[in-house]
Amino acid sequence: MGSLLSSSSLTLTQFLVAFIAFLLLIEQLIYWKKKRQAPGPLFVLPFLGNAISLVRQPTKFWEIQADFSSRFGFSTNYLIGRFMVFIRSSELSHLIFHNVRPDAFMLIGHPFGKKLFGEHNLIYMFGQDHKDLRGLIAPNFTPKALSTYISLQQTIILKHLKKWVDIADSKPISLRLLVREMNLETSQTVFVGPYLDEKARIEFNRDYNLFNVGLMTLPIDLPGFAFRTARVAVERLVNTLSLCTKQSKATMVDDQEPSCLIDFWMQEIVKYTADGKEAELPQTSNSQIGGHLFDFLFAAQDASTSSLLWAITLLESHPDVLSRVRSEVLKFWSPESDEMITADQIREMKYTQAVAREVIRYRAPATLVPHIAMEDFPLTDWYTIPKGTIVFPSVFESSFQGFTDGYRFDPDRFSEDRQEDQVYKKNFLAFGAGPHQCVGQRYALNHLVLFIAMFSTLIDFKRLRTDGCDDIVYYPTICPKDGCLVYLSKRCTRYPNFPSE
């Protein structure tokens, strides 16, 4: 009897092993069928694919994908049961960006973004609804609105520069988290201003950090895992921003002057409501707008942190560029004047503007813009992207194509004489392209120019250089490996005393 049970148990084990092996073979065959002649790894781990290497060494993972793509401009791989296509070619990236529609591609912002951001965010919208909503958002970035933000930005930048110098106290400090903290305060103040009290800001910062951690982990949506914690944190963040929206609507009904982005937005909505045109407004409930505000925050926060860190790194390693920036800024603005830099002065700082654009080109912060193929899509005359594929156009790789000596940091490429931003416009994709091109790019550039102008004028700085300190790491946007470790000291005779302080 025991021999019979043992034989039966062995047979069951053999069957299970054979069945699992069969499933793994089927999975590999499906990968090969989708991959066909496209470049990419020949064999992939079952289910996980190369997700572990992506999470553990993202920089190396994307470098390998770029190498695979060198011949045809794209390559393939497999992540968490999902087939993926990496796009290196600028031309093919434009093909993706300009075909965001129900029968082609959906922008998702993150491979598992819908679970994190919710189903109804701005990035998942198509067609006329998307156009209408972007039209309603447009007043948030008029010259008048941008001028309001410029004042808020400078006040916060100055506050944090003073703090950094005090912390440094003749020793090197890492700026990554400090810049991130400054940008988070800037985003909160510019977007929702007075509607977020001190207690709410502390909770907001905690939840945003939880969200950031979850972005870089495996998408295991179970209690105790970072991804689930991040998803719940996003729900709390959106709820907070929804309450800010409600308060702003009440303020704008009273016909008060806008003091932040949500006020400019709600002012427009109040106008429609007063004219009896509520039915024409897309996505205007408090919770919907809260979701869109979170989308803005995500787009602005980490990308801006990346750009500011690389600006410091690149200015320090290019003293000739730094010297020219300092000379130009002092032509238009003196810290001793106690006046803020104006929008007109920002426009006059042509070289500093060029430096900001070159920082973004040379180190595009959001290196990849994930999309989902909604249907089979012919990418080339011999390869069709299968439905359900995650597609990663690489704006980072595009940034080095076409431009004169593209791997060299050279702000003069954006001068009025060379105008490489126009000549090679198709390769400058840091703000995207097509219907989902970044609506806040002018705001982002203003912030970077203001920071470069104030940091270089008010602060003396020197990197503590170590082996590999400038290597690229993902947090989730790209940053220097050492977190930008610098010595800081006060450069100006005295700090400006802005009226709003």
Side-chain angles (χ1 to χ4, degrees):
M1 183 70 176
S3 176
L4 183 62
L5 287 173
S6 176
S7 176
S8 175
S9 176
L10 183 61
T11 302
L12 179 59
T13 300
Q14 289 173 332
F15 171 78
L16 288 174
V17 169
F19 181 68
I20 292 171
F22 174 74
L23 291 179
L24 299 182
L25 176 60
I26 291 296
E27 188 175 37
Q28 184 69 46
L29 290 173
I30 291 172
Y31 169 71
W32 283 339
K33 180 182 178 182
K34 293 180 177 180
K35 178 182 182 296
R36 298 189 319 199
Q37 293 84 22
L42 186 59
F43 296 98
V44 293
L45 287 175
F47 181 66
L48 286 176
N50 282 299
I52 294 175
S53 60
L54 171 59
V55 171
R56 292 180 62 184
Q57 294 182 300
T59 305
K60 184 177 180 181
F61 176 87
W62 295 117
E63 286 175 350
I64 291 172
Q65 283 302 135
D67 287 342
F68 276 130
S69 304
S70 59
R71 183 177 178 188
F72 297 113
F74 72 99
S75 60
T76 64
N77 212 314
Y78 193 66
L79 298 172
I80 315 289
R82 298 293 294 271
F83 185 69
M84 62 155 276
V85 170
F86 173 89
I87 308 289
R88 182 181 184 276
S89 158
S90 296
E91 289 78 8
L92 296 181
S93 289
H94 274 280
L95 194 61
I96 308 301
F97 288 135
H98 285 88
N99 282 283
V100 176
R101 59 176 197 268
D103 62 342
F105 296 101
M106 173 185 282
L107 173 64
I108 56 171
H110 183 274
F112 305 96
K114 276 200 171 185
K115 284 190 174 182
L116 277 177
F117 307 139
E119 292 279 340
H120 306 294
N121 235 302
L122 174 65
I123 57 177
Y124 306 130
M125 296 180 69
F126 295 107
Q128 193 59 46
D129 286 345
H130 178 246
K131 288 180 181 178
D132 290 344
L133 183 56
R134 281 178 69 97
L136 197 61
I137 290 169
N140 299 345
F141 301 103
T142 60
K144 180 181 178 181
L146 290 171
S147 293
T148 300
Y149 310 154
I150 285 171
S151 298
L152 299 173
Q153 288 165 298
Q154 289 177 78
T155 300
I156 295 168
I157 289 171
L158 178 59
K159 168 187 168 182
H160 284 265
L161 292 185
K162 291 178 179 179
K163 177 183 173 182
W164 299 350
V165 171
D166 289 342
I167 293 172
D169 192 25
S170 303
K171 62 181 182 293
I173 60 171
S174 173
L175 289 181
R176 185 176 72 84
L177 293 180
L178 293 173
V179 169
R180 182 179 171 276
E181 179 184 301
M182 180 189 75
N183 282 337
L184 194 53
E185 182 177 350
T186 305
S187 298
Q188 291 169 352
T189 306
V190 168
F191 294 170
V192 293
Y195 307 112
L196 205 61
D197 61 29
E198 191 58 34
K199 180 184 177 183
R201 284 178 184 268
I202 293 171
E203 294 173 351
F204 197 99
N205 293 352
R206 177 204 65 202
D207 284 337
Y208 194 85
N209 185 59
L210 293 173
F211 160 71
N212 237 16
V213 171
L215 281 176
M216 302 298 291
T217 60
L218 293 175
I220 303 173
D221 194 12
L222 295 171
F225 288 88
F227 188 85
R228 165 65 70 83
T229 302
R231 187 174 64 77
V232 174
V234 169
E235 292 175 2
R236 289 195 296 266
L237 289 167
V238 171
N239 286 338
T240 299
L241 293 170
S242 300
L243 291 174
C244 294
T245 301
K246 181 180 179 181
Q247 295 173 48
S248 176
K249 280 182 180 177
T251 302
M252 291 301 99
V253 165
D254 289 342
D255 201 28
Q256 296 187 34
E257 192 68 22
S259 65
C260 58
L261 183 146
I262 190 62
D263 281 349
F264 283 101
W265 195 345
M266 294 307 100
Q267 185 181 60
E268 195 69 11
I269 288 177
V270 167
K271 287 179 184 176
Y272 271 79
T273 303
D275 293 339
K277 298 178 179 178
E278 301 97 316
E280 298 177 18
L281 298 178
Q283 300 275 316
T284 55
S285 72
N286 293 338
S287 60
Q288 288 170 327
I289 292 172
H292 299 323
L293 280 172
F294 179 74
D295 182 28
F296 284 1
L297 185 76
F298 173 55
Q301 170 61 34
D302 294 300
S304 184
T305 296
S306 171
S307 293
L308 267 56
L309 290 172
W310 286 114
I312 295 168
T313 299
L314 293 164
L315 285 170
E316 196 274 345
S317 60
H318 295 80
D320 56 326
V321 174
L322 175 60
S323 178
R324 288 179 64 183
V325 166
R326 283 173 168 162
S327 296
E328 180 181 70
V329 172
L330 289 174
K331 288 180 183 178
F332 300 101
W333 178 69
S334 168
E336 287 79 9
S337 71
D338 293 333
E339 294 180 356
M340 291 188 173
I341 301 171
T342 66
D344 287 340
Q345 288 170 330
I346 289 177
R347 284 190 290 270
E348 289 294 324
M349 295 177 187
K350 302 292 187 184
Y351 185 71
T352 309
Q353 291 264 0
V355 171
R357 288 183 176 275
E358 179 67 346
V359 168
I360 291 172
R361 182 203 69 87
Y362 187 75
R363 288 291 181 262
T367 59
L368 300 143
V369 188
H371 291 66
I372 289 281
M374 307 295 287
E375 300 289 346
D376 291 353
F377 186 88
L379 183 66
T380 69
D381 57 2
W382 60 272
Y383 185 78
T384 295
I385 297 176
K387 178 181 178 180
T389 299
I390 304 178
V391 184
F392 292 91
S394 175
V395 302
F396 182 81
E397 292 295 331
S398 289
S399 295
F400 301 107
Q401 298 167 31
F403 292 98
T404 305
D405 198 3
Y407 288 93
R408 184 165 69 92
F409 181 73
D410 178 15
D412 281 321
R413 72 176 74 254
F414 292 111
S415 67
E416 292 181 354
D417 291 336
R418 290 169 59 180
Q419 296 186 11
E420 291 193 18
D421 54 330
Q422 297 302 315
V423 177
Y424 303 110
K425 187 176 182 179
K426 69 177 182 180
N427 302 113
F428 190 69
L429 294 175
F431 294 108
H436 279 271
Q437 188 174 36
C438 177
V439 69
Q441 57 183 285
R442 185 65 260 173
Y443 165 77
L445 278 168
N446 279 353
H447 188 56
L448 183 52
V449 171
L450 284 170
F451 179 82
I452 290 172
M454 295 178 70
F455 185 82
S456 61
T457 304
L458 303 178
I459 306 295
D460 274 322
F461 58 104
K462 184 175 178 59
R463 294 285 301 285
L464 176 64
R465 294 204 163 270
T466 56
D467 289 343
C469 64
D470 290 342
D471 290 352
I472 292 171
V473 292
Y474 286 74
Y475 285 114
T477 51
I478 59 171
C479 298
K481 185 179 180 180
D482 71 341
C484 198
L485 201 59
V486 293
Y487 293 93
L488 300 177
S489 61
K490 183 179 175 183
R491 175 181 176 81
C492 55
T493 305
R494 67 174 179 82
Y495 294 117
N497 183 24
F498 291 150
S500 57
E501 281 200 288

